[in-house]
Amino acid sequence: MGSITLEHVNKSFGGVEVIPDISLEIADGEFIVFVGPSGCGKSTLLRLIAGLEDVTSGRILIDGEDVSRAAPAQRKLSMVFQSYALYPHMSVRGNIAFPLKMEKAPREKIDQAVNNAAAILNLTDYLDRKPRQLSGGQRQRVAIGRAIVRQPKAFLFDEPLSNLDAALRVAMRLEISELHNKLKTTMVYVTHDQVEAMTMADKIVVLNAGRVEQFGSPLELYQRPANTFVAGFIGSPRMNFIDGAEAARHGAHTIGVRPEHLVVTPEGGDWSGVVKVSEHLGSDTFLHVDVDGIGALTARAPGDVPFRHGETVGLSPMNGRLYRFDAQGLAL
Amino acid sequence: MARAVSTRRKLAFTALAWIVALVVFFPILWAFLTSFKTEGTAIAAPPKFLFFEWTLENYRTVLERSNYFRFLGNSIITAVGSTLLGLVVAIPAAWAMAFSPTRRTKDVLMWMLSTKMLPAVGVLVPITMLFRMMGLTDTHLGLVLVLTLINLPIIVWMLFTYFKEIPVDILEAARMDGASLRQEVIYVLTPMAIPGIASTLLLNIILAWNESFWTIVLTTTQATPLPAFIAAYSSPEGLFWAKLSAASMMAIAPILIMGWFSQKQLVRGLTFGAVK
Amino acid sequence: MATAQTRMAARFMMAPSVIALLIWMIVPLSMTIWFSFQWYTAFRAPEFTGFDNYAYFFANPNIWTVFLNTLILVGGVLAITLVGGTLLALLLDQPIFGQGLVRLLVIAPFFVMPTVSALVWKNMLMHPVNGLFAWIAKVLGFSPVDWFAQVPLFSVIIIVAWQWLPFATLILLTALQSLDEEQREAAGMDGAGPIALFFYIILPHMSRALTVVMLIQTIFLLSVFAEIFVTTNGGPGVATTNLPFLIYLQAQFQYDFGLASAGGIVAVILANIVAIFLLRVVGKNLEA
Ligand SMILES: Nc1ncnc2c1ncn2[C@@H]1O[C@H](COP(=O)(O)OP(=O)(O)OP(=O)(O)O)[C@@H](O)[C@H]1O
Ligand SMILES: [Mg+2]
């Protein structure tokens, strides 16, 4: 079991309010991702759940039990740090065994659990090495191994992949997802990488300046963003926003359309503009188009479109793929 | 070092540096040589540098006649004892300052350092008086207490600077893994900080070993460590230079060797981190 | 890393050190202050006398000599160790054969306990008849100097400077080695000779280390004791009596605790003036 509930959680650091008021329900077994720009309070929120920081007010419940004042050890959660935070003076075996040693578990149980975790994470050959003799990916796996032996109620990850190179990041992403499928334990995962968020999460919490902007499944956030912040944050390249007369024509303060929802034609279209830059990625082409009276729009076209710098093109939003927002940025 | 230098230049500087180094080192070398001479050779004119009959007689005499081992024992007990006591008190304090700092942490550290700057004579009268009242004069306990207190700021300071270099994540990981505070300090922090703790230990043994003011003032016969024992040789005349040299060598040798090993930490410890 | 629990624990863990030092600082110091206002000797009960002890302390006909001795001792040792230390550091920074060994030899005096170094210098080097210096003087055709009779304070300065020279050298060398090579090379490209290089690049770079060495040494040098105790016992007359030694004599031999306490407070004030500057330099470093 591992459901986590936040009730009106507030956190201030010496008078500076970092998290004004967050309430959240995380069901047992869910994979939740906190995503948001740097400094928005993701780590802080995770550390509040972990018990490494105190809530200023509000309550945190794990399996219905109030743990707001409980020490980290009593919450039975495991955490994987961005820096891995391995114990440099212990072998891989010692690192993975440490939580069980703290529990004063019997020797056989420790050995069995360590071997088991090592097998799951392909670490069996490295058990007697010290952390500094491991690669980044292996260290990451040791950190995960240390987290799983204790069979925690939930795993907490704070940007665990951000120190890895791109290829390894993709591989580890898959491994963590697989691990979740296998263990079915609640996972709370912090990242500022929206690809990680979209691919891994059952549900995403989009945070901005300590507030929850939206909480929902990845597709929900993509298809029905609650406001301009979420609309702009989820999706790559970013959604195009248009203000002013053009938006008013659609009865909104702001309208938004995703690059992949713009149809590019040699002429005609709702808007016509001049191609400033075209980026050929092979599979796709990103066209940055300057439209008179509207500004710069980005469109995603197939990889083989012929448009070049200086050419005039027409752009039209696909049917029903235009988002409308009011003056407060809320979806209409 | 990417500076290209001609061998001639290097040789010239080498010669100069060695001459200067030997001049600086000479008093110690001279005492070392004298300790192996007979009393007659020790005051011979012209002085004999290397070609004399080397003898261990002085060492034997000092060891037999002067209770040298008692003084040595006193030195070891007080220097090591005060350093260990200091570490036990300082490790938790340094943990708190490094990993749970508050707005006042810096002020507390500064204040601790400032106590180190209190001149001994400023508290000479009350300390001797309190010691007499409490029966601490000329005891190991009394000396250990004073040495601990005068070196505690340096111990806390050095540990603090070493602990600061340990990533706080790792301690938090231990906390998540279910370690209590005591376990966190014993199983995670201390082993990670072993090099820093060892340097601190070394430097403080040296400082305590050589402390002369309080050892002279607060001991008379029983707890007297080596500095006070050597000071007793200053009393009148008698040309016992060879024996004096032998006793001196035995007093400084262990610390000289430790000092050579801890020269890097010396800079850090004695400048309070102001020079790195 | 801050929950109510850890903050609480932190307070408990700091407590022993803080309390111990607080007691060490407050109890004896306030006793000293208290005694300094008492007419209090070994032979009579304390009795309040106001500032009499201070007046008496400064009325001592030798007091200004003692102050002067204290200052000359500090200043002399500082001058020798700062200049000598800088030169030595520059020398040791050069590429030389056996650098490590040279370093060990130069550092050694710092680890010799004060009583030993004082005795070795007094007897084996500076002794007017059998000392090595006397022999050298005779060989060169001079009459030997009776160091502790003719230039007692200077002799003490030499001994203390010898002990502190390694400290200055070591710290200045550390600072020197942190000067980055590129800056040096850039100056070389700009046509700076070795002298210009020293005054415009090296010396400014070392200024902080020099300040630190100066302040720390001053604190220790203001309390030089064992060297005087072993060599001259403050004499001849009061020629080598510095402030700590005077207070020591007043307390241990004249049994005038009130007077010695007043002197102790004067010494504390003197040290504080230096300490304030030192703490400011150290404190700046703490920000980083
Ligand atoms: N111990 C602290 N004391 C004071 N302010 C803090 C503390 N920890 C975090 N903050 C502030 O709280 C805000 C949120 O920080 P947090 O570390 O949670 O951001 P984050 O979303 O994890 O960002 P990033 O993606 O860069 O890791 C920041 O403005 C930060 O400066
Ligand atoms: Mg973060």
Side-chain angles (χ1 to χ4, degrees):
Chain A
M1 283 294 284
S3 69
I4 301 171
T5 309
L6 309 188
E7 286 179 358
H8 299 292
V9 166
N10 167 288
K11 177 66 185 175
S12 306
F13 286 113
V16 183
E17 202 169 58
V18 174
I19 293 176
D21 180 357
I22 285 187
S23 296
L24 208 60
E25 287 275 354
I26 298 171
D28 181 36
E30 271 185 327
F31 197 123
I32 300 290
V33 173
F34 292 170
V35 66
S38 186
C40 69
K42 305 179 295 287
S43 299
T44 305
L45 195 55
L46 197 71
R47 292 165 57 82
L48 287 173
I49 296 173
L52 294 171
E53 300 278 356
D54 275 341
V55 292
T56 306
S57 68
R59 299 202 306 161
I60 294 175
L61 298 96
I62 296 176
D63 287 339
E65 191 188 333
D66 187 353
V67 294
S68 312
R69 299 287 157 207
Q74 296 159 348
R75 301 189 185 194
K76 303 262 180 289
L77 307 174
S78 284
M79 184 147 165
V80 176
F81 292 80
Q82 179 173 0
S83 59
Y84 318 138
L86 300 180
Y87 309 121
H89 55 291
M90 298 181 197
S91 63
V92 169
R93 183 187 299 281
N95 266 278
I96 298 178
F98 188 76
L100 297 176
K101 287 214 180 102
M102 292 299 105
E103 272 178 11
K104 304 217 158 48
R107 255 207 91 81
E108 315 82 71
K109 192 188 155 201
I110 295 182
D111 286 343
Q112 196 197 335
V114 170
N115 292 334
N116 200 13
I120 294 177
L121 295 162
N122 286 327
L123 286 170
T124 310
D125 296 340
Y126 306 104
L127 279 175
D128 295 316
R129 292 211 193 162
K130 289 279 170 65
R132 78 184 112 78
Q133 298 166 307
L134 300 178
S135 71
Q138 289 163 342
R139 285 179 206 186
Q140 185 61 72
R141 280 202 283 268
V142 176
I144 294 173
R146 192 173 63 182
I148 61 179
V149 283
R150 217 155 62 114
Q151 301 181 324
K153 292 185 171 170
F155 292 102
L156 310 176
F157 294 88
D158 192 354
E159 310 207 20
L161 306 185
S162 58
N163 285 343
L164 302 178
D165 64 45
L168 204 51
R169 195 144 46 183
V170 174
M172 284 305 297
R173 205 164 77 196
L174 289 173
E175 276 190 45
I176 293 176
S177 292
E178 257 172 50
L179 194 68
H180 180 242
N181 292 336
K182 203 177 306 176
L183 300 176
K184 305 229 178 328
T185 310
T186 313
M187 292 190 175
V188 183
Y189 188 105
V190 164
T191 179
H192 59 253
D193 178 350
Q194 52 130 339
V195 178
E196 274 175 32
M198 295 296 283
T199 52
M200 301 171 87
D202 292 328
K203 279 189 185 159
I204 297 178
V205 179
V206 181
L207 287 170
N208 182 28
R211 262 180 296 275
V212 176
E213 296 284 352
Q214 195 170 357
F215 178 36
S217 71
L219 270 188
E220 236 172 284
L221 300 194
Y222 179 79
Q223 289 171 345
R224 290 189 299 281
N227 51 42
T228 46
F229 182 83
V230 177
F233 197 81
I234 302 288
S236 173
R238 226 173 102 85
M239 182 184 277
N240 297 296
F241 290 108
I242 303 165
D243 290 340
E246 187 61 27
R249 215 164 57 76
H250 290 89
H253 182 268
T254 306
I255 55 172
V257 56
R258 294 193 188 279
E260 56 270 38
H261 298 150
L262 277 174
V263 179
V264 188
T265 47
E267 51 211 26
D270 290 11
W271 305 306
S272 112
V274 181
V275 176
K276 287 285 159 202
V277 179
S278 78
E279 296 174 310
H280 294 277
L281 301 186
S283 60
D284 296 305
T285 303
F286 295 140
L287 296 171
H288 300 277
V289 181
D290 218 4
V291 179
D292 251 2
I294 288 178
L297 296 181
T298 304
R300 176 173 164 185
D304 51 4
V305 293
F307 308 114
R308 296 172 164 283
H309 171 77
E311 289 180 2
T312 305
V313 295
L315 301 172
S316 337
M318 289 177 189
N319 245 344
R321 297 295 197 149
L322 195 85
Y323 298 92
R324 303 184 309 135
F325 302 96
D326 67 13
Q328 277 75 51
L330 298 179
L332 288 171
Chain B
M1 292 296 251
R3 263 177 291 167
V5 267
S6 68
T7 317
R8 272 238 323 265
R9 202 181 115 120
K10 190 167 175 180
L11 279 174
F13 274 119
T14 302
L16 185 60
W18 273 95
I19 291 169
V20 173
L22 284 174
V23 167
V24 171
F25 189 68
F26 184 78
I28 300 172
L29 181 64
W30 190 233
F32 175 76
L33 294 175
T34 306
S35 72
F36 294 104
K37 297 175 182 174
T38 61
E39 293 296 353
T41 330
I43 54 169
K48 300 245 194 306
F49 286 91
L50 285 174
F51 305 103
F52 55 87
E53 230 169 280
W54 290 58
T55 168
L56 284 172
E57 194 52 41
N58 304 304
Y59 287 93
R60 198 169 306 136
T61 317
V62 171
L63 291 179
E64 274 168 12
R65 285 213 215 130
S66 67
N67 264 336
Y68 167 80
F69 285 107
R70 209 184 65 224
F71 300 115
L72 177 72
N74 289 338
S75 263
I76 293 175
I77 291 172
T78 50
V80 175
S82 69
T83 303
L84 291 182
L85 180 62
L87 280 176
V88 168
V89 177
I91 287 178
W95 173 91
M97 290 179 176
F99 301 118
S100 186
T102 66
R103 255 168 292 131
R104 275 169 313 168
T105 300
K106 193 187 145 186
D107 299 332
V108 173
L109 255 178
M110 284 293 136
W111 164 76
M112 284 190 172
L113 287 187
S114 73
T115 65
K116 176 70 196 161
M117 295 165 195
L118 186 69
V121 286
V123 293
L124 170 65
V125 171
I127 292 297
T128 46
M129 201 170 290
L130 289 172
F131 263 52
R132 220 172 302 131
M133 266 167 50
M134 296 191 278
L136 288 172
T137 312
D138 206 17
T139 62
H140 291 141
L141 178 64
L143 210 49
V144 164
L145 285 179
V146 167
L147 291 177
T148 304
L149 286 165
I150 60 174
N151 287 330
L152 190 58
I154 292 190
I155 302 184
V156 172
W157 175 270
M158 283 185 74
L159 290 177
F160 169 76
T161 61
Y162 286 112
F163 287 0
K164 283 284 268 191
E165 288 169 11
I166 291 175
V168 66
D169 281 6
I170 297 184
L171 300 188
E172 291 184 338
R175 222 167 287 172
M176 291 300 295
D177 285 343
S180 68
L181 247 154
R182 202 179 53 85
Q183 289 170 321
E184 172 186 324
V185 170
I186 294 176
Y187 296 120
V188 180
L189 176 64
T190 305
M192 281 177 72
I194 281 290
I197 293 175
S199 322
T200 311
L201 183 104
L202 222 53
L203 179 61
N204 278 279
I205 288 180
I206 295 170
L207 291 178
W209 188 276
N210 287 346
E211 163 61 36
S212 302
F213 179 78
W214 290 114
T215 51
I216 290 173
V217 170
L218 293 177
T219 62
T220 47
T221 49
Q222 292 306 312
T224 317
L226 289 166
F229 156 66
I230 295 291
Y233 271 82
S234 67
S235 47
E237 297 324 298
L239 299 175
F240 299 122
W241 294 2
K243 284 180 205 68
L244 165 65
S245 297
S248 297
M249 280 301 125
M250 288 194 282
I252 65 172
I255 239 53
L256 194 57
I257 291 163
M258 285 172 92
W260 277 337
F261 279 111
S262 67
Q263 35 165 323
K264 285 259 161 54
Q265 288 67 45
L266 182 82
V267 175
R268 186 170 180 151
L270 285 183
T271 61
F272 310 119
V275 174
K276 283 190 189 125
Chain C
M1 180 95 165
T3 63
Q5 278 167 328
T6 52
R7 275 192 297 268
M8 197 55 146
R11 239 169 266 157
F12 274 111
M13 289 166 89
M14 299 245 299
S17 297
V18 171
I19 292 172
L21 284 175
L22 208 60
I23 293 175
W24 169 242
M25 174 122 146
I26 289 181
V27 173
L29 200 57
S30 40
M31 281 172 79
T32 309
I33 294 174
W34 171 252
F35 291 147
S36 75
F37 293 110
Q38 308 288 320
W39 184 11
Y40 180 23
T41 69
F43 316 107
R44 48 173 298 137
E47 179 190 330
F48 186 76
T49 57
F51 282 92
D52 280 8
N53 282 321
Y54 291 92
Y56 191 45
F57 184 80
F58 285 104
N60 180 341
N62 292 322
I63 189 67
W64 299 114
T65 315
V66 170
F67 270 117
L68 202 63
N69 289 342
T70 312
L71 292 184
I72 293 176
L73 181 58
V74 173
V77 175
L78 277 183
I80 296 174
T81 53
L82 288 181
V83 174
T86 307
L87 294 176
L88 257 174
L90 286 171
L91 181 60
L92 294 187
D93 191 37
Q94 303 298 324
I96 51 176
F97 295 107
Q99 196 158 28
L101 213 54
V102 167
R103 232 172 113 127
L104 289 188
L105 293 183
V106 171
I107 293 165
F110 189 74
F111 301 116
V112 176
M113 53 181 67
T115 49
V116 166
S117 51
L119 276 181
V120 168
W121 277 83
K122 178 190 177 186
N123 290 321
M124 281 136 67
L125 298 174
M126 290 176 156
H127 194 280
V129 182
N130 298 310
L132 197 67
F133 292 171
W135 174 74
I136 293 174
K138 269 182 258 173
V139 167
L140 297 178
F142 298 103
S143 65
V145 180
D146 187 353
W147 293 85
F148 289 101
Q150 290 169 340
V151 282
L153 189 55
F154 180 66
S155 309
V156 173
I157 288 176
I158 299 226
I159 297 174
V160 178
W162 177 74
Q163 291 185 289
W164 283 95
L165 183 64
F167 176 75
T169 306
L170 195 59
I171 285 169
L172 295 174
L173 183 60
T174 308
L176 198 55
Q177 285 170 343
S178 71
L179 175 65
D180 75 40
E181 202 58 29
E182 285 179 13
Q183 207 180 344
R184 223 189 279 239
E185 277 163 6
M189 306 277 273
D190 291 343
I195 305 284
L197 187 71
F198 176 75
F199 281 102
Y200 292 109
I201 306 287
I202 296 178
L203 204 55
H205 175 79
M206 293 207 304
S207 63
R208 180 190 169 81
L210 282 165
T211 316
V212 171
V213 170
M214 195 172 85
L215 292 169
I216 290 175
Q217 284 199 17
T218 305
I219 300 240
F220 282 96
L221 295 176
L222 279 173
S223 350
V224 167
F225 173 80
E227 293 84 345
I228 298 173
F229 177 83
V230 168
T231 55
T232 63
N233 234 316
V238 290
T240 55
T241 303
N242 67 351
L243 198 51
F245 204 79
L246 176 73
I247 298 165
Y248 165 79
L249 291 178
Q250 288 169 342
Q252 306 288 88
F253 293 97
Q254 299 168 16
Y255 302 107
D256 194 335
F257 304 132
L259 182 64
S261 297
I265 294 303
V266 173
V268 170
I269 291 170
L270 210 58
N272 266 333
I273 296 171
V274 185
I276 287 169
F277 287 104
L278 176 58
L279 288 176
R280 213 171 276 171
V281 180
V282 174
K284 270 209 198 90
N285 203 57
L286 209 58
E287 313 284 348

